[in-house]
Amino acid sequence: MQTASATALRPQRTRTLSCPFIYASLALRLDANTAVTDKLFQDVVSEALRQLYGYIGGSIHSDFLSITQLSATLRVDKRDWNKLWSALTLLTSYNGVKCTVEVITHSPFLQSLAAAS
């Protein structure tokens, strides 16, 4: 014979999905008629970090997953995401040429980033 306490429901458990990275879609806009290359896009992002945080504070690891003429898909550790985003937002020039980097969208999952574009 079972008692009421023996048939009580077990507490529910919730599992959360976590990803150690943030994936972002970026757009680069330059004022000059400069051909945008893969190297130039990477240098602009690195320079934005250096301008705001210096050489030591701006040394974060990021991976460019794809780079097209004016846009890129970037992967960065989620602990460094706010630092990168603020540096990109405050960037106004690169080597004397006015430029901006716009964060189009970001997500902790690459698949949802692809679905949003």
Side-chain angles (χ1 to χ4, degrees), residues 55-117:
Y55 285 99
I56 303 300
S59 61
I60 67 169
H61 180 72
S62 59
D63 296 319
F64 284 87
L65 303 179
S66 70
I67 299 177
T68 61
Q69 181 65 21
L70 296 174
S71 65
T73 303
L74 179 86
R75 178 178 66 188
V76 66
D77 190 294
K78 71 179 178 182
R79 294 172 294 189
D80 296 326
W81 170 242
N82 288 333
K83 183 185 280 192
L84 177 66
W85 197 351
S86 61
L88 294 176
T89 302
L90 296 173
L91 179 70
T92 58
S93 67
Y94 174 75
N95 286 346
V97 177
K98 288 186 177 183
C99 75
T100 59
V101 179
E102 180 185 356
V103 178
I104 297 170
T105 185
H106 69 282
S107 172
F109 303 105
L110 184 59
Q111 189 173 18
S112 63
L113 184 73
S117 61

Side-chain angles (χ1 to χ4, degrees), residues 18-40:
S18 178
C19 181
F21 300 108
I22 295 289
Y23 298 91
S25 178
L26 308 175
L28 176 63
R29 292 185 176 78
L30 292 168
D31 274 356
N33 291 332
T34 307
V36 178
T37 62
D38 297 358
K39 179 74 172 136
L40 177 66

